[in-house]
Amino acid sequence: MYTFVKFGGSVITDKTGREAADLAVIEALAGAVATARAADPGLALVLGHGSGSFGHHYAARYGVHRGMPLDADHTGFALTAAAALRLNRIVVDALLAAGVPAISLQPSAALRCANCQITHWETTPIYEALQRRLVPVIHGDVAFDTAQGTAIISTEALLSFLALHSPLRPHRIVLVGEAAVYTADPHRDPSAQPIPFINHANIAQVLHGAGESRAADVTGGMRSKLELMWRLVEALPDLEVCLIGPDPALLVAALLGQPLTSGTLIRQ
């Protein structure tokens, strides 16, 4: 069984800044991954992360996510890809320093899309890495798009494709970002309350209250992420999705399938 985990760009960087990595948080999360792997040597992880204040800045500035015709200047596309890779290197180096045998696998090198939807991704290297007890690390990335020229593919979309269109069917996905899903945007509404559990009975209400990202985010805000994860849970009935804050102890518990003291659990 496989576990997918995503480090949100909003927690490993300051998304209101520019290429502002939060090294303390990245190192703490890397240490939590190492702790979980030591506790469960059979833990098979695919780790992804967002681009935060690295890739999103350039993507928004140059409109990479809106598409670029073939004869356009693609410098912005290249700058976006390079920024995402700079953050990826920081994350992978932190994992290696913590004793996690992480290996970077750049999605855009093997990705094709149409209308911002993945049509092909050569995922065999991810599978091969897992067979060797490595931890493949992917990230939100640029992509060539047959319909609109260019696109941005979120980490959630990558993990969803892996879950549905590869042998790597996960039993758990752990999203490290906001502390939980809330009844309203907690940054704007002080009365917002965390929602500990989401299923078919309350998903419509939850989506209605979900807001967009406060900073530059070309992959959509909380609502789009929840919609994608819910479609995944509907397609894979045994899957559970945990949304937690960047607390190393919570991450260890989530990776090991232990009860969570906070956060949001999504399942049928």
Side-chain angles (χ1 to χ4, degrees):
M1 294 191 295
Y2 299 97
T3 299
F4 296 171
V5 58
K6 181 208 173 181
F7 295 168
S10 62
V11 297
I12 62 173
T13 75
D14 176 0
K15 286 182 73 173
T16 63
R18 182 170 173 179
E19 299 203 15
D22 192 328
L23 295 178
V25 170
I26 293 171
E27 290 168 358
L29 295 177
V33 172
T35 297
R37 291 183 84 250
D40 180 4
L43 186 62
L45 293 176
V46 176
L47 196 151
H49 64 82
S51 287
S53 61
F54 283 70
H56 287 287
H57 168 79
Y58 294 100
R61 177 180 175 184
Y62 291 97
V64 177
H65 57 299
R66 294 192 296 269
M68 307 172 71
L70 189 62
D71 59 352
D73 181 354
H74 278 64
T75 300
F77 183 90
L79 289 170
T80 304
L85 282 174
R86 284 194 289 275
L87 180 57
N88 180 254
R89 191 68 260 161
I90 292 170
V91 172
V92 170
D93 285 347
L95 288 162
L96 289 169
V100 178
I103 180 170
S104 174
L105 295 172
Q106 182 184 10
S108 60
L111 200 63
R112 292 287 286 172
C113 300
N115 291 311
C116 299
Q117 301 298 313
I118 301 172
T119 56
H120 176 76
W121 184 17
E122 178 49 66
T123 59
T124 302
I126 297 175
Y127 177 80
E128 293 290 348
L130 287 165
Q131 298 310 297
R132 290 160 174 78
R133 291 282 296 137
L134 296 170
V135 176
V137 182
I138 60 175
H139 57 86
D141 206 357
V142 299
F144 295 114
D145 191 297
T146 58
Q148 65 176 40
T150 63
I152 298 293
I153 303 301
S154 71
T155 314
E156 287 87 357
L158 294 168
L159 296 179
S160 177
F161 185 90
L162 283 178
L164 296 175
H165 304 289
S166 84
L168 307 178
R169 295 295 174 92
H171 72 289
R172 183 175 298 110
I173 297 177
V174 181
L175 303 180
V176 182
E178 295 284 353
V181 178
Y182 289 82
T183 54
D185 185 346
H187 302 287
R188 295 191 176 105
D189 185 350
S191 67
Q193 296 296 313
I195 302 170
F197 186 66
I198 297 174
N199 62 10
H200 67 279
N202 65 348
I203 183 62
Q205 182 180 3
V206 170
L207 290 175
H208 179 74
E212 296 300 321
S213 175
R214 293 174 294 147
D217 189 338
V218 296
T219 60
M222 176 61 80
R223 182 186 175 92
S224 66
K225 292 173 173 57
L226 283 175
E227 287 175 333
L228 184 58
M229 287 299 109
W230 181 251
R231 289 197 296 270
L232 203 53
V233 167
E234 285 187 310
L236 303 172
D238 294 331
L239 175 68
E240 65 177 26
V241 179
C242 306
L243 292 91
I244 61 172
D247 180 332
L250 274 178
L251 178 55
V252 172
L255 293 178
L256 296 178
Q258 298 170 350
L260 300 178
T261 55
S262 65
T264 299
L265 183 64
I266 305 175
R267 65 184 180 205
Q268 286 200 30

